């Protein structure tokens, strides 16, 4: 059972999240916070497996709360939720250590998928945001990646490409003819070598430094 902590300053939104995840047989909502300060306090007390939080909240917002949550041991993976898909929120969320970014207009199924992925140590970005992420970094990619990126093996580069496409370990394993467990090991090594905390940050790194291009990242039909 995945222990989920949610946060939103709107009571109706909090109740909606409780109802949504109440229908998921493998997720239980252990608490619902109204702002970032309450979220951090509840996370320290309840030790959730995953946190799903709105970005725009009074007082301490979701980005600031995510930074505080990242200091917990163990730190719960955090998914950001917002009605705004502006770049400033997207990149602020990713820089805070969040493993996922969803729009409130996302399909309910994507919410549940994202929480399950976060519990497995994976990340999810709303598909409508991914092209903006790629385009943003494709325009600004420097010629030479940092030294740590040059230490990736050929296999790790293959795995990084699939991570950038949003694939989980099972699909990576299927694509490369390896087990999901082996894929997970490769992803862990990639995160260590790149010095990033999550799969989403690894994808951002790949786009930023040109390790993955638009043509690489978008699968052919």
């Amino acid at each position: 059972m995945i222990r989920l902590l949610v946060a939103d300053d709107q009571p109706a939104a909090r109740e909606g999240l409780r109802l949504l995840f109440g229908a998921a047989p493998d997720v239980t909502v252990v608490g619902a916070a109204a702002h970032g300060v309450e979220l951090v306090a509840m996370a320290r007390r309840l030790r959730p497996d995953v946190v799903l939080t709105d970005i725009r909240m009074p007082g301490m917002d979701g980005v600031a709360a995510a930074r505080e949550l990242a200091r917990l041991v163990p730190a719960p993976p955090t998914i950001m939720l917002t009605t705004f898909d502006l770049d400033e929120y997207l990149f602020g969320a990713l820089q805070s250590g969040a493993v996922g970014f969803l729009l409130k207009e996302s399909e309910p199924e994507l919410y549940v998928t994202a929480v399950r992925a976060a519990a497995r140590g994976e990340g999810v970005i709303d598909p409508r945001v991914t092209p903006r992420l790629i385009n943003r970094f494709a325009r600004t990619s420097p010629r030479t990646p940092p030294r740590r990126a040059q230490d990736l093996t050929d296999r790790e580069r293959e795995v990084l490409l699939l991570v950038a496409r949003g694939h989980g370990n099972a699909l990576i394993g299927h694509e490369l003819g390896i087990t999901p467990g082996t894929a997970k090991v490769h992803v862990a090594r990639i995160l260590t070598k790149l010095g990033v905390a999550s799969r989403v940050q690894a994808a951002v790194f790949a786009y930023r430094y040109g390790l993955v291009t638009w043509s690489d990242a978008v699968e052919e039909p």
Side-chain angles (χ1 to χ4, degrees):
M1 185 66 70
I2 301 170
R3 293 167 47 81
L4 175 66
L5 176 60
V6 301
D8 196 295
D9 62 323
Q10 299 296 322
R14 295 195 298 274
E15 183 60 25
L17 290 172
R18 285 186 181 276
L19 291 173
L20 170 64
F21 288 102
D26 56 342
V27 181
T28 181
V29 177
V30 296
H35 50 75
V37 173
E38 185 178 30
L39 171 61
V40 174
M42 293 179 72
R44 287 173 175 158
R45 184 176 76 254
L46 299 173
R47 297 295 176 178
D49 299 313
V50 179
V51 170
L52 177 65
T53 178
D54 189 15
I55 287 185
R56 291 170 63 96
M57 296 186 292
M60 179 185 289
D61 63 18
V63 173
R67 293 194 182 102
E68 292 298 318
L69 294 174
R71 297 188 177 100
L72 299 181
V73 180
T78 301
I79 302 167
M80 295 293 186
L81 185 63
T82 184
T83 55
F84 304 90
D85 62 346
L86 300 178
D87 287 350
E88 61 187 277
Y89 295 113
L90 170 61
F91 297 109
L94 296 177
Q95 290 168 358
S96 72
V99 302
F101 186 94
L102 300 178
L103 302 180
K104 287 190 175 180
E105 298 79 16
S106 300
E107 294 296 326
E109 294 80 5
L110 186 57
Y111 281 43
V112 179
T113 296
V115 167
R116 289 169 175 160
R120 296 193 302 268
E122 302 174 11
V124 173
I125 296 181
D126 188 296
R128 290 170 293 177
V129 176
T130 303
R132 303 182 67 170
L133 183 67
I134 299 173
N135 283 328
R136 168 71 174 264
F137 291 117
R139 294 195 304 268
T140 59
S141 297
R143 292 178 180 272
T144 305
R147 169 65 186 175
R148 61 185 186 277
Q150 299 174 26
D151 292 336
L152 295 175
T153 65
D154 290 341
R155 174 61 89 185
E156 288 166 350
R157 288 176 181 273
E158 291 177 331
V159 172
L160 180 58
L161 166 60
L162 297 178
V163 167
R165 288 179 176 171
H167 291 358
N169 293 332
L171 190 50
I172 290 174
H174 176 75
E175 291 282 339
L176 300 181
I178 58 179
T179 67
T182 300
K184 183 177 181 179
V185 170
H186 283 307
V187 171
R189 288 174 178 167
I190 290 169
L191 299 188
T192 299
K193 288 184 178 181
L194 298 185
V196 297
S198 71
R199 301 165 71 102
V200 174
Q201 290 181 348
V204 169
F205 186 103
Y207 297 135
R208 174 179 290 156
Y209 292 108
L211 300 177
V212 175
T213 65
W214 172 271
S215 59
D216 291 331
V218 177
E219 295 179 277
E220 295 181 2

